[in-house]
Amino acid sequence: MSVPTNCAIPKQRSEGYGSIDRQKKIAELRKAQGMMQDEPAEALNVSPQAISKWENGFSQTKGY
């Protein structure tokens, strides 16, 4: 599986971990591709729980 290269995620910050825009964007991009959380998790070599945390604002992405 390949991760689309045109998935730019804004780097703005708000209160807490990351911005609400970034959280929404991660979920929107995944859902637009028809993916479950385990698919991008495998491609990014992280757990599906990490994807869930990113989408729900409980953790932040490393921004690479």
Side-chain angles (χ1 to χ4, degrees):
M1 182 190 121
S2 64
V3 176
T5 56
N6 62 346
C7 297
I9 298 174
K11 291 193 175 191
Q12 62 188 17
R13 307 277 286 160
S14 66
E15 294 182 30
Y17 290 112
S19 72
I20 302 254
D21 290 336
R22 184 180 304 160
Q23 295 163 19
K24 287 181 182 178
K25 191 70 169 177
I26 292 170
E28 286 173 9
L29 291 170
R30 176 182 61 78
K31 291 174 184 177
Q33 295 291 318
M35 296 181 193
M36 301 294 288
Q37 290 176 337
D38 59 336
E39 294 176 75
E42 185 177 328
L44 296 170
N45 199 31
V46 298
S47 69
Q49 291 83 1
I51 301 293
S52 176
K53 287 178 181 181
W54 296 345
E55 291 179 356
N56 292 299
F58 292 111
S59 183
Q60 61 186 3
T61 61
K62 291 189 179 182
Y64 336 87

